[in-house]
Amino acid sequence: MLSCHSDKDKSNAKTQSINKAWRKVPDSWINRALRFNYGKVDTTLLHEFANFIKPDTLNNPHTEHVDPNYGLIFNCISVDLDGDQQNELVCLVGWDVYSPYLAVLKQINGAWYLIYKEEIDTFYNSPTIYVANSYSREKTFYLRRVYDHGSGIYIDGYSFYKLDNNQVYKCLDIVNDAHIEGWGLFINQSVKSDFEFDGDSDDALSVNYTYNFFPGSIYPSDYSWDGHEDKPLINGEETAYYIYDSKKHKYKLDIPSYENKATDLTAEKIACFGDFGDDSLFVKAYRRQIDTVIKIGTPWQKKLLRKYLLLAQKSKTVRTEILEEKASAGGTKFYGPKK
């Protein structure tokens, strides 16, 4: 996979058309990138890259920092992505590790071009590039990024790409870890996934999702940021399969027609992972599962889910607030929207 440049004579290779949007890159820059000294601070390549992409700019929030080189990132992989026996360069380039460019550079008709760039916004950690030996002439490369991180909230995920006919396609995004607890939401969530490429006969990957939707503040002694992950309302563990569609350049969710149980994953259910506070989406996607728990769940689950469904009819995002309810059993408390 990490093959060297082919030494074969390419003089008879078919001339390929050049996209006007591509930026030509000097061979000298490519050669220095391939020999980059990771143990030495060198901003020359970054300055030159910034000139390639003008009028676009490289975000640099550290211009006034005491260390002028604080946060910069330059990292590249040389790999044959499209099976043409020539290596491309996949790079992360930026003055700031939290907002670098993902860049793909390719040699076409003997010259190098920047054929793809995408600014990757992330929190706390720089993105990480991977290349998979997927069952395809066009190898899949992907990166992990942190979307959000804070008190009671975290979400990161993977984005998958392919290079086909000199064009880069983003072909799938999946959640890796999504967690929110508190924030005044009635429904909190914890989602984790792991995946592997199926390398025997299909360009496909399987993703195992473990999910738990649980209540936020439910007791009088709770604070607004409290949650109860140990008391699931809707939870499960299922595997989803994605098969690459070479015509649409997408990894498409493949759900067999015989999978129609209330607990089976659907595209609508997966769309809820990491979409915090969208209760209208959640109720629509998980209604059969919610109804099942209301039938066979614990009294505690049944009570909360019935209350939740009533509130979800009134608001797209159901928030919690302790309200007094005078019940025959005495002074109990429940949660509902503000009056």
Side-chain angles (χ1 to χ4, degrees), residues 28-46:
S28 59
W29 190 91
I30 298 295
N31 292 331
R32 282 184 287 124
L34 290 170
R35 299 195 305 269
F36 182 71
N37 183 353
Y38 288 91
K40 180 182 178 181
V41 175
D42 182 358
T43 60
T44 305
L45 289 168
L46 283 173

Side-chain angles (χ1 to χ4, degrees), residues 188-205:
N188 298 183
Q189 66 170 275
S190 175
V191 178
K192 294 182 182 296
S193 74
D194 59 83
F195 66 91
E196 62 180 358
F197 285 87
D198 300 333
D200 51 358
S201 60
D202 292 307
D203 186 359
L205 68 155

Side-chain angles (χ1 to χ4, degrees), residues 23-162:
R23 311 295 177 89
K24 195 170 184 179
V25 179
D27 289 350
S28 59
W29 190 91
I30 298 295
N31 292 331
R32 282 184 287 124
L34 290 170
R35 299 195 305 269
F36 182 71
N37 183 353
Y38 288 91
K40 180 182 178 181
V41 175
D42 182 358
T43 60
T44 305
L45 289 168
L46 283 173
H47 281 293
E48 293 182 9
F49 184 87
N51 288 329
F52 299 155
I53 66 174
K54 285 182 177 179
D56 294 339
T57 59
L58 283 176
N59 181 39
N60 188 0
H62 307 302
T63 53
E64 303 300 325
H65 197 277
V66 63
D67 179 359
N69 300 317
Y70 178 81
L72 64 82
I73 179 173
F74 187 90
N75 202 1
C76 63
I77 299 174
S78 176
V79 56
D80 182 6
L81 293 173
D82 56 4
D84 67 353
Q85 306 304 308
Q86 294 188 95
N87 280 12
E88 288 74 42
L89 278 184
V90 184
C91 306
L92 286 172
V93 182
W95 295 113
D96 179 35
V97 295
Y98 304 148
S99 56
Y101 271 110
L102 169 67
V104 178
L105 301 99
K106 182 174 176 61
Q107 191 174 30
I108 302 171
N109 301 337
W112 281 91
Y113 296 89
L114 173 64
I115 65 171
Y116 182 82
K117 62 180 176 64
E118 176 189 352
E119 190 168 7
I120 307 296
D121 291 324
T122 184
F123 278 73
Y124 292 95
N125 300 99
S126 63
T128 307
I129 298 176
Y130 308 82
V131 181
N133 191 20
S134 49
Y135 194 81
S136 172
R137 183 174 180 268
E138 293 78 31
K139 300 307 176 188
T140 305
F141 65 101
Y142 58 102
L143 61 84
R144 173 187 168 274
R145 77 180 85 179
V146 178
Y147 290 99
D148 202 354
H149 189 298
S151 178
I153 187 170
Y154 178 86
I155 180 170
D156 74 0
Y158 291 95
S159 297
F160 299 83
Y161 303 81
K162 279 185 180 289

